Amino acid sequence: MSARDAATRLFRELTGRDADGVWSAPGRANLIGEHTDYNDGFVMPFATPHRTYAAVGMRDDERIRVASTFAEAPVEAELSELESRFPIAAEQDAWAAYPLGVAWALRLAGARERGVDIAIASDVPVGAGLSSSAAIEGATASALNELWDAGLDRTALASIGRRAENEAVGAPTGIMDQMASMLGEADAALFLDCRSLEAQSIPLGMAEAGLAVLVIDTRVAHAHSTGGYRERRASCEKGAAIMGVAALRDLSPADLPRAREVMDDVTFRRVRHVVTENQRVLDTVRALREHGARATGNLLTASHASMRDDFEISVPELDTAVQSALDAGALGARMTGGGFGGAAIALVERDAVPAVADAVAAAFAAEGFAVPSVFAVCPSAGARRDA
């Protein structure tokens, strides 16, 4: 059964009627630009074909009820009392903070709320760094934006999702994931300035070039609300304060020698990753425009080395995924997402996808790691109403 059908069936089971509509939003993979978003920098994600579906119907009261195929029971609350529920303490109900947080943020934005039932199903891998959370937020925000007559554009809805994740869930993420999920386009990456929120769709031309993006889900789950992510963000804020700038976006590679002189080693290496990663995003945009996707491989691999050595957010499974893909002929490879687990991506010849996937699986087996999930993805469309 498809995730869309699962959402509509769950809604019928929950309410005894058909939903007023079904909305969906995709997960995302990040081509390049990691941990630059909350530093006001540049990122280049794309939406994946995997989607989260929300079947939604209006109620005749002021309550919101959310259910999902991956939770045992629905979660219900008065719309006027949502804020008092955050953060949701019960571990089994933690997922509900995402749709409830979106409803809360839309209320604060002035939407004319009414009671709703929401049934959610998804085929976005959870814990893989492919932003299953932003997909839930995007599907929920798209539905409530229409049903509550909020009239917000896609960029504003991405900001709603970010506020839900930051304040309702308690994860100190930037806005990249939500923007990719809302604004994604087929066969294109989103070049996003996270300070101005200016976004440009950059064609990738993967099919024409005979290339594919391979996702390697290590099955090592990660969570943005845990300490490692917060510590990296705090180091970045400390580095910006030392250098007297509003954000690390305001530094260039030419500033790094002075940064080395005035910072401790750990803070400097965190800063160096962000500064050089911003430059790699700009270089990737230029390479795509001037030479096509084949010219980006070395930049992807350099990005992984920076995350591994300077930002220290990789894990042995991610390093094995990247190295085994490169050894099997990938043009470039890097971990993608917040780190401490999740997935890697590899840019490979389309005809070589099976061989690279087999090589990665063999390398994981040799290391005694869990069997990875390896699959090709094509950049896809963003949030939409499906029915």
Side-chain angles (χ1 to χ4, degrees), residues 351-375:
D351 294 342
V353 166
V356 175
D358 288 345
V360 170
F364 270 59
E367 293 291 339
F369 298 149
V371 177
S373 174
V374 185
F375 49 92

Side-chain angles (χ1 to χ4, degrees), residues 33-294:
E34 222 66 75
H35 288 265
T36 49
D37 55 347
Y38 57 78
N39 288 292
D40 284 358
F42 304 106
V43 294
M44 202 171 186
F46 61 86
T48 71
H50 307 86
R51 304 185 75 85
T52 293
Y53 293 84
V56 186
M58 303 297 287
R59 296 167 59 106
D60 57 6
D61 57 17
E62 299 300 315
R63 296 184 67 79
I64 181 171
R65 179 170 52 166
V66 294
S68 79
T69 55
F70 43 83
E72 292 184 2
V75 177
E76 189 169 352
E78 289 286 341
L79 285 166
S80 60
E81 298 174 357
L82 281 175
E83 188 167 7
S84 66
R85 295 183 63 91
F86 304 139
I88 293 179
E91 185 175 340
Q92 67 268 26
D93 292 340
W95 70 272
Y98 296 98
L100 295 180
V102 166
W104 164 75
L106 277 168
R107 290 185 71 247
L108 294 185
R112 294 178 294 175
E113 78 275 10
R114 289 171 52 200
V116 288
D117 287 312
I118 304 174
I120 293 173
S122 179
D123 59 20
V124 181
V126 176
L130 300 178
S131 204
S132 56
S133 58
I136 293 175
E137 293 156 3
T140 305
S142 297
L144 297 184
N145 185 54
E146 183 173 337
L147 293 175
W148 288 356
D149 297 318
L152 300 180
D153 63 22
R154 288 173 176 261
T155 299
L157 292 178
S159 295
I160 291 292
R162 179 191 184 180
R163 184 169 193 181
E165 188 138 352
N166 289 174
E167 300 182 36
V169 179
T173 59
I175 199 170
M176 172 182 68
D177 295 354
Q178 292 83 6
M179 288 289 282
S181 188
M182 293 302 304
L183 276 72
E185 294 185 10
D187 196 27
L190 186 73
F191 173 41
L192 174 65
D193 180 333
C194 293
R195 172 170 284 170
S196 68
L197 297 188
E198 179 183 356
Q200 301 177 47
S201 183
I202 306 295
L204 295 175
M206 292 290 181
E208 302 163 46
L211 298 175
V213 176
L214 201 63
V215 173
I216 306 163
D217 179 1
T218 66
R219 300 193 184 277
V220 178
H222 73 156
H224 277 169
S225 55
T226 54
Y229 194 100
R230 292 179 181 276
E231 290 169 4
R232 298 312 185 277
R233 183 161 186 164
S235 289
C236 292
E237 292 169 353
K238 177 181 176 181
I242 290 172
M243 295 296 285
V245 295
L248 294 184
R249 152 71 176 276
D250 298 309
L251 301 180
S252 75
D255 294 307
L256 290 176
R258 185 169 77 87
R260 185 191 290 272
E261 293 176 357
V262 298
M263 295 177 190
D264 63 87
D265 179 64
V266 171
T267 303
F268 169 70
R269 287 188 290 111
R270 306 298 188 249
V271 168
R272 180 168 61 184
H273 164 70
V274 173
V275 172
T276 57
E277 186 79 345
N278 272 326
Q279 186 61 52
R280 281 187 288 270
V281 175
L282 298 177
D283 291 343
T284 298
V285 173
R286 187 177 305 110
L288 283 167
R289 286 173 169 165
E290 296 179 359
H291 306 290
R294 288 181 179 276

Side-chain angles (χ1 to χ4, degrees), residues 14-44:
L14 184 70
T15 66
R17 67 181 184 89
D18 289 334
D20 295 332
V22 179
W23 291 259
S24 71
R28 70 98 190 92
N30 195 16
L31 187 66
I32 197 163
E34 222 66 75
H35 288 265
T36 49
D37 55 347
Y38 57 78
N39 288 292
D40 284 358
F42 304 106
V43 294
M44 202 171 186

